[in-house]
Amino acid sequence: MATHFTLLLSPSKPFKNSSFFTKNPSLHFKKPLSITSFQSPQPAAAAVVQTFWQWLSDQDVVSAKTPAKPGVVPQGLGLVAQRDISRNEVVLEIPKKLWINPDVVAASEIGNVCSGLKPWVSVALFLIREKFKEDSTWRPYLDVLPESTNSTIFWSEEELAELQGTQLLSTTSGVKSYLQREFLKVEEEILVPHKQLFTSPVTLDDFSWAFGILRSRSFSRLRGQNLVLIPLADLVNHSPDITKEDGVYEIKGAGLFSRDLIFSLRSPISLKAGEQVLIQYNLNMSNAELAVDYGFIEAKSDRNMYTLTLQISESDPFFSDKLDIAETNGLGEIADFDIVLGNPLPPTLLPYLRLVALGGTDVFLLESIFRNTIWGHLELPVSRANEELICRVVRDACKSALSEYHTTIEEDEKLERKELNPRLKIAVGIRAGEKKVLQQIDEIFKQRQLELDELEYYQERRLKDLGLVGEQGEIIFWESK
């Protein structure tokens, strides 16, 4: 029944704040981020780096023998090998005394007032407060942090207009709305009642800056540490050419008889002196996720993704039955399916589509007698009407989504060959990538439409199982003796 078939393909990917800075296994920021846009001229940046290095040296964290040190690189700042480095060699070890995490906040002057806040909010307020203090003990580290990155949360309205029609624009708007809500809450509960704790008024821009720093630079899912900034280590840059992700960094004991912890960073590849230490941030993130978190995208086709969102309508007369079947099979009333350029459709997409579209004479499959076997039936075409409906609805949704962009793929590809500023390069790449995925989805279901007469449907399969129809579809007549 088409009237109950809800498919969201327009820029509708939501921002799920529940996965931010939590122990959720789907947490995005598994890797740190380097500075993508250092705002100071290079000579000034070099001076800041030297002050930072001296601070680390004074803390007995680094020495002349440390394999890598910070330096000015094409990306802004990065880690540069001081000598030849072997693959998997430890390049940095940062003791816990230099980490910034919720424990540090708890022990600070704002610890008491921050005790009930989300961990990331408390660390954000700590960063802002220390940034305001000229005599902060963290000053050399704070001075190497950028004022902004090319993350889409820092884009102007004019720059965001280049994302018209994209799911990235919707996600970015969701992030900014979430930030505003969190800021208003913390302003009412902390900033106004305890304004004496901050040397200057804290603004939404300050709060967004701290969020961007944490979103892009924090390490998470480490042993006993779910949110931590690690000075120096967080300068390591990303390389799309590095495909090893695991075992690059870890938290370990400082020694056999020591209870202290250290953060250890290894180089995943061999390096010559003067080359940059690089790692892979996250092999599983899409270009849109990279753009929000880190402020860059990659040219690899499998970084391009579009999220197809399906929903079982509450007005569907069989809503309860369909929802029960979906939940039994690990899905829900609303289900997101990430379609990756060049990859097959997710295996649960077609069964869920068929379930949502199930109606007419096919609803007998919703009866309780089929409850344990229905998903197996949905993994194959149910009926011509059902299959035709899902093809038509998906293709219509693709066409509608493609009409929302203000450029064509050809226009974007022409722009990609030009020298673009980093943010326009992201916008053009995201637009082109999303449209290619939409075209891929449309082509898959177009081809399926052409094959409707050749597909085998439930009733035919059932007749074959009963021995009433042959393999070629011929009717079998039983002769009585």
Side-chain angles (χ1 to χ4, degrees):
M1 300 176 68
T3 53
H4 301 293
F5 192 176
T6 305
L7 174 59
L8 306 174
L9 266 187
S10 56
S12 57
K13 184 162 188 181
F15 167 69
K16 301 181 179 70
N17 59 47
S18 61
S19 67
F20 274 31
F21 303 97
T22 71
K23 298 180 182 180
N24 193 311
S26 66
L27 197 63
H28 288 328
F29 35 88
K30 301 175 184 175
K31 301 291 178 283
L33 174 71
S34 67
I35 292 175
T36 58
S37 178
F38 197 91
Q39 304 298 311
S40 305
Q42 283 207 3
V48 167
V49 166
Q50 183 55 43
T51 301
F52 178 51
W53 183 253
Q54 186 59 52
W55 177 70
L56 294 169
S57 181
D58 292 343
Q59 302 278 338
D60 294 325
V61 173
V62 299
S63 70
K65 294 182 178 180
T66 301
K69 69 182 299 184
V72 178
V73 297
Q75 296 94 326
L77 295 183
L79 292 177
V80 180
Q82 296 200 79
R83 56 168 173 78
D84 291 356
I85 293 174
S86 303
R87 185 171 68 90
N88 291 330
E89 182 179 348
V90 173
V91 294
L92 292 176
E93 291 188 333
I94 311 297
K96 189 176 182 181
K97 67 179 182 179
L98 243 64
W99 305 352
I100 298 178
N101 59 15
D103 292 338
V104 170
V105 180
S108 73
E109 293 175 344
I110 61 171
N112 288 337
V113 300
C114 290
S115 59
L117 299 178
K118 295 182 177 72
W120 81 261
V121 174
S122 68
V123 177
L125 291 179
F126 178 84
L127 284 176
I128 294 167
R129 185 172 187 270
E130 294 301 310
K131 186 183 180 187
F132 285 171
K133 292 167 55 181
E134 285 299 322
D135 61 348
S136 170
T137 56
W138 299 96
R139 174 57 50 197
Y141 171 61
L142 295 167
D143 285 345
V144 301
L145 298 178
E147 288 302 317
S148 69
T149 71
N150 286 320
S151 164
T152 52
I153 67 171
F154 296 115
W155 288 21
S156 67
E157 290 302 314
E158 182 181 359
E159 289 167 334
L160 287 172
E162 294 292 340
L163 293 174
Q164 178 184 320
T166 66
Q167 292 191 323
L168 175 57
L169 178 60
S170 178
T171 301
T172 302
S173 298
V175 173
K176 295 175 81 169
S177 295
Y178 169 71
L179 272 176
Q180 187 164 28
R181 291 193 303 272
E182 289 295 321
F183 176 71
L184 291 175
K185 183 179 177 182
V186 82
E187 186 177 45
E188 179 183 349
E189 296 176 0
I190 306 296
L191 299 178
V192 172
H194 305 283
K195 59 184 177 181
Q196 74 280 2
L197 292 174
F198 296 84
T199 57
S200 299
V202 177
T203 66
L204 177 59
D205 284 344
D206 295 322
F207 195 65
S208 298
W209 166 81
F211 175 86
I213 291 297
L214 291 173
R215 184 75 178 173
S216 62
R217 306 176 74 86
S218 61
F219 290 82
S220 60
R221 298 174 67 182
L222 291 164
R223 189 180 77 183
Q225 299 290 324
N226 291 300
L227 171 63
V228 57
L229 286 172
I230 301 180
L232 185 58
D234 65 357
L235 292 182
V236 67
N237 278 308
H238 165 86
S239 170
D241 298 323
I242 294 174
T243 57
K244 177 182 177 181
E245 187 178 350
D246 297 328
V248 173
Y249 60 83
E250 64 177 336
I251 287 178
K252 60 183 183 180
L256 186 61
F257 301 105
S258 174
R259 304 180 75 176
D260 293 337
L261 297 175
I262 59 172
F263 174 91
S264 176
L265 176 70
R266 298 174 182 272
S267 173
I269 59 174
S270 300
L271 299 171
K272 297 291 185 183
E275 291 181 337
Q276 230 190 126
V277 178
L278 299 167
I279 66 170
Q280 167 63 238
Y281 286 173
N282 192 317
L283 288 167
N284 298 317
M285 293 179 73
S286 68
N287 269 337
E289 291 167 328
L290 291 173
V292 171
D293 283 3
Y294 301 139
F296 68 80
I297 61 174
E298 287 186 6
K300 293 181 178 179
S301 62
D302 60 2
R303 291 285 194 181
N304 294 308
M305 186 180 78
Y306 200 95
T307 299
L308 186 158
T309 299
L310 289 169
Q311 181 173 4
I312 303 170
S313 172
E314 290 188 6
S315 63
D316 190 318
F318 305 102
F319 172 80
S320 296
D321 287 324
K322 291 182 178 182
L323 180 59
D324 179 54
I325 293 164
E327 290 178 340
T328 300
N329 290 278
L331 298 165
E333 178 184 348
I334 299 174
D336 290 335
F337 298 91
D338 294 334
I339 316 297
V340 178
L341 186 61
N343 286 10
L345 295 175
T348 54
L349 172 59
L350 283 173
Y352 193 88
L353 271 168
R354 292 174 183 131
L355 174 67
V356 174
L358 208 63
T361 58
D362 297 324
V363 298
F364 70 91
L365 287 170
L366 298 174
E367 294 175 10
S368 58
I369 191 173
F370 291 100
R371 198 51 49 99
N372 293 329
T373 60
I374 184 172
W375 198 256
H377 296 311
L378 293 171
E379 288 177 335
L380 298 169
V382 173
S383 68
R384 193 186 196 286
N386 181 271
E387 206 73 7
E388 187 173 24
L389 174 58
I390 67 174
C391 289
R392 176 169 53 81
V393 171
V394 170
R395 293 199 66 199
D396 287 349
C398 286
K399 290 182 177 68
S400 176
L402 284 165
S403 70
E404 297 293 323
Y405 299 94
H406 67 279
T407 58
T408 64
I409 288 181
E410 293 71 28
E411 289 170 336
D412 288 335
E413 288 178 335
K414 187 176 180 181
L415 282 170
E416 284 180 316
R417 293 191 287 270
K418 297 182 178 180
E419 283 292 324
L420 305 175
N421 72 61
R423 295 185 179 183
L424 183 55
K425 183 178 180 179
I426 290 172
V428 172
I430 289 291
R431 291 192 317 236
E434 286 192 5
K435 282 179 277 191
K436 287 175 183 176
V437 179
L438 284 167
Q439 286 190 345
Q440 172 181 296
I441 299 170
D442 181 65
E443 186 58 37
I444 289 172
F445 284 90
K446 176 184 176 182
Q447 186 61 37
R448 201 158 191 84
Q449 280 180 322
L450 297 174
E451 298 169 353
L452 286 174
D453 292 332
E454 303 168 18
L455 297 175
E456 184 178 75
Y457 300 106
Y458 171 79
Q459 293 293 2
E460 185 177 354
R461 293 193 300 274
R462 179 61 177 156
L463 290 173
K464 281 184 178 179
D465 290 342
L466 294 173
L468 300 177
V469 173
E471 288 301 319
Q472 305 304 315
E474 72 278 11
I475 298 176
I476 297 175
F477 294 96
W478 297 95
E479 296 182 5
S480 60
K481 293 183 179 180

